[in-house]
Amino acid sequence: MKVVITEDKLYNVFSKFMDSDYDLSYNIRSREFIGKNNHPFGWLNGTVFMYGEMSDQLILEGYFGDKTSKLLLMYLRDRFPDAPINFIE
């Protein structure tokens, strides 16, 4: 049996996962993305998002595979429109 998951559905699953597991906020002054319990999820270097810890990147890639960077870019742009993100490192 073949199961097809549309990109829209995958993005919805990703968004719900990020909201429930990370609940990110963005500090515009320090350009940091902070998760639950003040966990440093990442920061902006110019317009490039950099992960705060490799383990977060590995967890997301374990769940979402090679679509992770694209999904994270879409999510961060939607959730934080004031953060000038053009690329995920």
Side-chain angles (χ1 to χ4, degrees):
M1 181 168 100
K2 185 176 181 179
V3 176
V4 177
I5 299 175
T6 64
E7 189 171 304
D8 187 51
K9 179 66 173 173
L10 184 59
Y11 178 71
N12 288 338
V13 170
F14 183 86
S15 294
K16 288 177 184 173
F17 176 82
M18 291 298 294
D19 289 345
S20 68
D21 281 29
Y22 290 98
D23 190 28
L24 296 178
S25 62
Y26 177 62
N27 182 322
I28 199 163
R29 289 188 183 133
S30 66
R31 303 187 66 162
E32 292 178 302
F33 295 89
I34 306 297
K36 290 180 179 177
N37 301 319
N38 289 325
H39 173 76
F41 182 75
W43 71 93
L44 284 180
N45 181 8
T47 61
V48 177
F49 172 83
M50 309 288 286
Y51 283 96
E53 295 183 12
M54 185 66 146
S55 60
D56 291 320
Q57 182 178 1
L58 294 175
I59 289 168
L60 291 176
E61 288 175 352
Y63 286 126
F64 299 100
D66 62 352
K67 302 283 187 202
T68 302
S69 291
K70 182 177 181 179
L71 291 166
L72 182 58
L73 182 61
M74 291 169 51
Y75 174 79
L76 293 174
R77 283 178 171 171
D78 286 348
R79 178 113 189 240
F80 308 104
D82 293 335
I85 306 167
N86 290 327
F87 188 74
I88 303 293
E89 181 68 30

